[in-house]
Amino acid sequence: MPASGKMLPGSVKRPKISVASVNTSGKVTSRSVPLISPHAQPQQNQASRQGQEVLNTIQNTPFDTAYVNELLQVQNEDPKCEWEQVRSLLSAAYHETIAPDAVQCCMQSCRKQLQNNYIRCEDCGPFAFYCEACCNSVHCNRGLSNQQLLLFHKPKIWTEAGYKDYHIDILLDRPDHKCSTRRARTGLLVFDDKGRIHHCSIVICSCDKDQCVTLMRHNLWSASVKEPKVAFHFELMNWIEFLLLESAISLQSACLAIRWKNGFADDEYNILYNHLVGEPVEEYIFFKNMLRECASVNTELDDMECPACPKEKGNIYISLDANFGLVRKANGGSSKFGPRYGTRMFTAQANIDDFVQRNEQKLPANKARECNSFQAGSVIRAKNKTAKLDQKGVFGAACRHGIPRFMMSMTQGERLAYPVYALNTLLDQVTGTDVNLYVLYDIACMLDSHLKKTNQTDKFCDISLAVPIFHAYGHKSSCQVRYSCRWQEGYGLTDGEVMERLWSYLRQFAYSTKEMTPSHRIDRLTAALLHYARKKKHEMDALLCRNIDKAQYLVNCCTQELEKIKFSNNVSDQDISEWLKWEQDRAKASTRKTRTGNSDASKNKQELLNKLHAQAMEYTFVRTLRRKYSSGQAIANRICRTITSACSNMKKLLALYNEEVDDDKKLEWNDVCKPDAAVYKTLSNADQLPHSSCGSEVRHIAVDLYLHKMRAEEEITLSKEEMVNCMQWYVFQSAILQEEMTNAISRGQLDCLNRRYNVLMKGFKRAREMFSKFLSEDELPEITFSSNVTNSIVMEEDLAPIDYEQEDIDVMEDNIDQDDIDSFEDDMED
């Protein structure tokens, strides 16, 4: 303790001594107590001292990862509480606390004993009981700056009939502004941070052109611009924002929750909902997004940019898909103004409609189903129950990490013109860079065919097209071999289903957006996409680490299984490579459709046999895939439908073949169901399997394992490159923020930039720690602070408790009198 006898700051770790005591039974106990001089503070009872000791412990405990893990571990080890045994105790404690028989005024200068007409303010604390004079003094005190200090509290006074609201006049005034045009305006209705209603007065002047600006200075969001009669607390608006974006509830549901929480009458609820719906909520969400991104300071501070995707050189994997649930009714009204976000996320509708009209390609009904059972790309789907819809859905693109790239509102249903427009947009984005585009689409096979027929292959020759892993099982085997992302080189373990995950989130907004005006609908969906992108960026480091762990596990498993197959069947890696090449050659040479009903073709037995062999290959291929999945899974169900279709086609072809041959040469199911059956030996060499003693199913399993191993090895390399991209992105963003903080034009702007910088540094440190398991030290950069910006940056660790050096503690101990210690021990014994 310093010689002055002053108590150490609360944020400093105090030296402690071990104190031993003996109770009446003779048991010796010891405890560690802080060295505090009795002259440094008033005498406290034991409860106060214990409370202070707990407070000191909390203040001096660093809130780091290890501490959080320790808390979680303790919580998990705690046995299950028997809530039934404490219900009556909880109820009794609650009733005793809210309305005791007698209380003491909580003001130190008063301490008046009260039994009736005492006032309780839960906003001040659970034990905040006042006499009427002290309540008015606390809640109406304007301090030295003539500003009301405690706003929007709801004290209640005890009467014989229970608690009743205690009225307090609220005047909103700016202590930092003096103006000759100041005047008080009454009749302002404010919904506070808990959704409760307050009748307030506010001082306005001509310095603020619009009164909504004056309300914003008081942390209130105005329901209108010019002369608002209703305002909402920022915290309440924050709750509403995240209820709308994270829980995807409608504004009406959020207002109903506020109503039932506070017991509003019908007219109070109508005031709340009618003054929130429409512009106020959408404008507030837009306002908060501007503050989060600091986009008004620098446009390169963009929440929609993926940290892991390459910017100048590398591979970008984009998934395309459409959602027909995000519709808009034609009777939903019209918009006087365009969307607040402009073309930030949604492409200009006029440009899309013009492109679709110029590139309309109607597909025959039978052509749309030649390879798969999907309705994607079919004009017929556009006529299905969409007559009353203004917007038929949304077509979008996202990178393989789940960050949305752009969206388009569809007015014509999902036509192939939309993915072609998307390809043009993607090409424009990577023009001038060495970035390679890998695009995954549900019907990439049809899109590829469409590009060839419209002579656009030269334009998109550098784009690789593939079918997502889940949707690939709805295509025939030859299409899977040619377009599945597991058969294509360079895709790693990219599944291509990120759009389905995005739709799972956005589909929740279908109910609330279908009745909106066009601009409000785009604003709400854009805000949701920004929220979704921020979540994905926060999870990026864990995602990349999981990708590598999964890929390494897959490499090990596939290697073990392949060794077993090679050992038991006496085959080599070269044999498996030949089987893979044969499958790819067969897929390229195969026809797009087997016509089982052509009477001319049925007269040729050799042609029928070729078709039977092709169906047998399809049947065996999908049967091998089916064994990988458990019954009941969505993929298993889809593969079962493909197996049923292949089996049905084979039976039809078998019947036609038996009609053309003599009775003694008729074939049975078992004679044709396997691709290596004896009946197919007469086929040309191009259709026969490569020579091997292995069965067809063993070959398919070996090829599948070989492909998964190759893709997993690609994934490890790809994920490590993306980790390096992430670290470079953090360094680039840090440099921009440091420069902008140096040039900040106000302290408020500096604070917004500093908040974003702290969030960035948290992500950087977490990513660096997680990536250190996979990257070398040279690939993990450090972020350095510029000398002219260091004083502007306030990192959260700068606020951590200060540890004294050992020599400082020795000085403190030398200045502690033995009398102080003896007095402290006496207090402890008491």
Side-chain angles (χ1 to χ4, degrees):
M1 182 72 66
S4 62
K6 294 183 180 180
M7 188 172 62
L8 296 173
S11 61
V12 177
K13 292 184 176 179
R14 300 176 177 85
K16 298 181 180 181
I17 62 173
S18 178
V19 178
S21 61
V22 182
N23 60 15
T24 55
S25 62
K27 182 179 180 181
V28 179
T29 59
S30 62
R31 61 181 301 180
S32 180
V33 296
L35 292 175
I36 305 174
S37 172
H39 305 294
Q41 57 183 0
Q43 292 291 332
Q44 297 176 322
N45 56 27
Q46 185 174 359
S48 299
R49 287 197 300 271
Q50 292 176 350
Q52 184 63 39
E53 185 176 345
V54 171
L55 180 60
N56 294 336
T57 303
I58 295 174
Q59 290 175 341
N60 296 323
T61 302
F63 196 76
D64 55 9
T65 305
Y67 180 61
V68 173
N69 293 335
E70 182 182 353
L71 290 178
L72 294 175
Q73 183 178 2
V74 172
Q75 183 178 2
N76 293 334
E77 293 175 356
D78 190 26
K80 181 180 178 181
C81 295
E82 300 293 341
W83 287 101
E84 294 182 0
Q85 299 178 7
V86 298
R87 285 175 186 167
S88 58
L89 299 177
L90 293 173
S91 179
Y94 175 77
H95 292 133
E96 180 183 352
T97 303
I98 63 171
D101 295 333
V103 299
Q104 188 180 40
C105 181
C106 65
M107 297 298 293
Q108 186 70 29
S109 59
C110 180
R111 293 299 186 185
K112 184 185 296 183
Q113 296 291 332
L114 303 170
Q115 289 186 346
N116 295 312
N117 296 329
Y118 58 79
I119 299 174
R120 182 174 188 247
C121 181
E122 294 184 23
D123 298 301
C124 294
F127 302 102
F129 294 95
Y130 299 94
C131 63
E132 188 169 359
C134 290
C135 180
N136 291 330
S137 174
V138 169
H139 291 88
C140 298
N141 180 25
R142 299 190 180 279
L144 297 177
S145 61
N146 196 36
Q147 179 190 19
Q148 197 164 348
L149 300 180
L150 299 180
L151 292 173
F152 308 129
H153 283 207
K154 279 280 191 180
K156 297 180 182 294
I157 186 170
W158 178 260
T159 65
E160 295 180 356
Y163 280 115
K164 291 186 178 180
D165 290 337
Y166 185 78
H167 177 71
I168 293 179
D169 293 327
I170 299 178
L171 176 64
L172 304 176
D173 192 8
R174 290 180 59 189
D176 61 333
H177 183 72
K178 304 299 180 183
C179 178
S180 59
T181 61
R182 285 160 45 92
R183 61 184 178 88
R185 177 198 151 191
T186 60
L188 178 66
L189 205 65
V190 174
F191 289 85
D192 66 9
D193 56 339
K194 299 178 181 178
R196 302 170 302 187
I197 298 178
H198 300 265
H199 296 271
C200 308
S201 301
I202 183 172
V203 176
I204 59 176
C205 68
S206 59
C207 297
D208 286 333
K209 182 179 179 181
D210 298 311
Q211 294 183 20
C212 63
V213 179
T214 305
L215 286 172
M216 192 274 299
R217 299 182 189 275
H218 294 281
N219 282 351
L220 297 175
W221 189 255
S222 173
S224 58
V225 176
K226 295 299 182 182
E227 295 184 0
K229 298 180 180 179
V230 180
F232 309 92
H233 197 280
F234 271 18
E235 283 302 312
L236 179 65
M237 295 299 293
N238 288 339
W239 273 109
I240 292 176
E241 176 193 7
F242 285 101
L243 283 173
L244 297 182
L245 299 182
E246 181 61 28
S247 301
I249 64 175
S250 64
L251 179 62
Q252 184 181 29
S253 298
C255 291
L256 284 173
I258 298 173
R259 173 186 183 177
W260 300 123
K261 171 187 174 294
N262 296 290
F264 286 169
D266 290 344
D267 55 344
E268 294 173 324
Y269 163 73
N270 291 333
I271 292 173
L272 173 67
Y273 178 70
N274 292 337
H275 284 82
L276 271 178
V277 68
E279 300 295 335
V281 166
E282 302 300 336
E283 189 64 34
Y284 179 80
I285 296 176
F286 178 73
F287 170 73
K288 293 294 287 187
N289 279 326
M290 289 178 59
L291 293 181
R292 290 190 191 100
E293 295 184 353
C294 302
S296 58
V297 180
N298 193 310
T299 55
E300 292 184 349
L301 299 172
D302 188 359
D303 273 350
M304 299 304 294
E305 185 179 35
C306 178
C309 288
K311 311 301 182 292
E312 298 296 333
K313 183 178 181 180
N315 300 334
I316 291 183
Y317 301 84
I318 304 295
S319 293
L320 307 178
D321 196 21
N323 186 309
F324 290 97
L326 295 170
V327 301
R328 197 193 84 86
K329 294 185 177 179
N331 59 0
S334 58
S335 300
K336 296 181 180 179
F337 306 99
R340 291 172 174 81
Y341 297 92
T343 57
R344 170 75 183 280
M345 199 70 243
F346 279 79
T347 311
Q349 195 61 45
N351 297 342
I352 301 171
D353 292 341
D354 179 64
F355 183 86
V356 172
Q357 291 297 331
R358 288 187 289 105
N359 295 269
E360 185 173 354
Q361 179 78 14
K362 295 188 177 182
L363 300 178
N366 61 340
K367 192 71 174 176
R369 294 175 177 270
E370 65 177 2
C371 171
N372 56 75
S373 58
F374 304 117
Q375 288 185 334
S378 175
V379 178
I380 298 177
R381 179 165 186 162
K383 300 177 181 178
N384 245 355
K385 303 178 181 178
T386 58
K388 297 182 179 180
L389 299 178
D390 184 16
Q391 306 287 345
K392 306 317 194 276
V394 173
F395 191 94
C399 70
R400 85 183 201 116
H401 311 103
I403 306 295
R405 301 279 293 196
F406 55 84
M407 297 284 160
M408 295 177 277
S409 289
M410 298 187 299
T411 58
Q412 304 293 329
E414 188 176 7
R415 303 189 182 187
L416 290 174
Y418 290 109
V420 173
Y421 187 92
L423 294 181
N424 281 289
T425 303
L426 292 171
L427 278 180
D428 293 339
Q429 291 178 353
V430 301
T431 299
T433 66
D434 292 331
V435 173
N436 303 315
L437 282 174
Y438 291 77
V439 178
L440 300 103
Y441 185 42
D442 297 353
I443 51 171
C445 52
M446 294 175 58
L447 176 60
D448 193 17
S449 176
H450 171 74
L451 295 177
K452 292 176 181 178
K453 292 178 181 178
T454 54
N455 298 320
Q456 300 184 72
T457 52
D458 292 340
K459 182 179 182 180
F460 302 112
C461 61
D462 294 331
I463 297 180
S464 174
L465 295 176
V467 177
I469 187 64
F470 178 79
H471 288 79
Y473 297 122
H475 293 248
K476 63 184 182 180
S477 61
S478 59
C479 184
Q480 292 186 43
V481 172
R482 293 182 62 191
Y483 293 100
S484 174
C485 54
R486 289 295 178 265
W487 286 76
Q488 295 255 38
E489 292 185 3
Y491 280 86
L493 293 179
T494 306
D495 59 9
E497 302 293 350
V498 292
M499 289 304 300
E500 299 299 332
R501 301 182 187 102
L502 175 58
W503 296 145
S504 177
Y505 167 72
L506 278 188
R507 200 173 286 116
Q508 303 174 91
F509 295 88
Y511 175 77
S512 58
T513 58
K514 65 181 180 181
E515 304 280 356
M516 289 183 176
T517 62
S519 294
H520 280 175
R521 171 177 172 268
I522 289 179
D523 285 338
R524 178 64 58 82
L525 292 178
T526 302
L529 290 167
L530 287 169
H531 178 70
Y532 184 84
R534 282 192 290 268
K535 292 198 301 181
K536 288 299 179 182
K537 288 172 69 174
H538 181 77
E539 302 166 356
M540 187 70 67
D541 45 14
L543 172 66
L544 295 179
C545 292
R546 285 198 306 270
N547 287 348
I548 293 184
D549 290 337
K550 175 184 175 182
Q552 190 61 57
Y553 174 79
L554 196 57
V555 168
N556 296 336
C557 292
C558 291
T559 301
Q560 294 176 7
E561 294 300 321
L562 279 173
E563 291 299 326
K564 292 179 183 179
I565 292 177
K566 289 190 292 185
F567 178 77
S568 58
N569 296 275
N570 193 23
V571 296
S572 62
D573 290 334
Q574 183 178 359
D575 294 328
I576 299 176
S577 300
E578 290 178 357
W579 298 341
L580 173 61
K581 186 178 183 304
W582 182 88
E583 289 280 7
Q584 293 172 337
D585 293 340
R586 183 188 66 86
K588 293 179 181 179
S590 64
T591 57
R592 294 186 59 86
K593 185 175 179 181
T594 301
R595 302 178 183 179
T596 58
N598 192 319
S599 58
D600 295 334
S602 65
K603 295 179 180 180
N604 189 330
K605 293 185 293 184
Q606 189 69 14
E607 184 177 350
L608 281 173
L609 203 59
N610 285 332
K611 293 178 180 179
L612 269 170
H613 182 252
Q615 288 298 317
M617 293 288 296
E618 177 87 10
Y619 179 71
T620 305
F621 184 86
V622 293
R623 279 193 64 189
T624 305
L625 291 176
R626 172 63 183 85
R627 295 180 180 179
K628 295 169 52 179
Y629 303 98
S630 302
S631 299
Q633 286 185 291
I635 294 181
N637 295 335
R638 175 164 289 180
I639 295 175
C640 285
R641 290 194 292 269
T642 306
I643 294 175
T644 303
S645 175
C647 184
S648 176
N649 290 336
M650 285 185 67
K651 290 179 179 179
K652 292 179 181 178
L653 289 169
L654 182 60
L656 291 174
Y657 181 85
N658 288 335
E659 290 179 0
E660 302 299 325
V661 298
D662 298 332
D663 292 341
D664 57 340
K665 295 183 180 180
K666 291 184 182 297
L667 301 176
E668 300 293 337
W669 169 260
N670 293 332
D671 298 329
V672 296
C673 63
K674 294 182 178 181
D676 51 359
V679 69
Y680 301 128
K681 298 298 182 181
T682 59
L683 298 179
S684 62
N685 293 331
D687 290 332
Q688 292 184 25
L689 289 166
H691 176 71
S692 175
S693 59
C694 300
S696 57
E697 293 189 5
V698 173
R699 288 192 289 270
H700 283 302
I701 293 174
V703 169
D704 188 59
L705 290 171
Y706 182 75
L707 287 171
H708 275 79
K709 180 183 176 181
M710 290 175 60
R711 300 292 88 81
E713 291 172 347
E714 292 174 356
E715 179 66 31
I716 294 174
T717 303
L718 178 61
S719 295
K720 288 183 179 181
E721 292 175 355
E722 291 172 343
M723 287 180 177
V724 174
N725 293 338
C726 278
M727 302 309 293
Q728 294 174 350
W729 179 85
Y730 278 116
V731 173
F732 178 71
Q733 291 286 307
S734 171
I736 294 177
L737 285 169
Q738 289 189 39
E739 181 181 357
E740 295 300 336
M741 283 189 285
T742 305
N743 303 324
I745 60 177
S746 66
R747 290 187 176 183
Q749 189 182 85
L750 177 62
D751 178 67
C752 290
L753 291 167
N754 190 69
R755 290 184 187 183
R756 184 177 176 97
Y757 190 85
N758 277 321
V759 173
L760 183 78
M761 289 305 298
K762 278 185 178 180
F764 172 76
K765 291 180 179 180
R766 184 178 62 247
R768 197 178 192 279
E769 180 181 356
M770 298 179 72
F771 293 168
S772 62
K773 178 181 176 182
F774 307 101
L775 300 180
S776 64
E777 194 65 28
D778 296 337
E779 296 172 314
L780 295 171
E782 289 283 0
I783 292 181
T784 57
F785 303 104
S786 176
S787 58
N788 59 346
V789 78
T790 304
N791 294 331
S792 302
I793 301 174
V794 182
M795 298 299 296
E796 292 188 358
E797 53 264 31
D798 296 339
L799 307 178
I802 303 173
D803 290 337
Y804 276 114
E805 299 292 339
Q806 184 61 41
E807 57 183 15
D808 296 330
I809 297 177
D810 295 338
V811 173
M812 296 174 194
E813 292 177 348
D814 293 339
N815 288 300
I816 297 175
D817 296 332
Q818 185 62 36
D819 294 338
D820 294 340
I821 299 176
D822 295 339
S823 176
F824 187 81
E825 291 177 349
D826 293 339
D827 293 339
M828 292 296 297
E829 291 177 0
D830 294 338

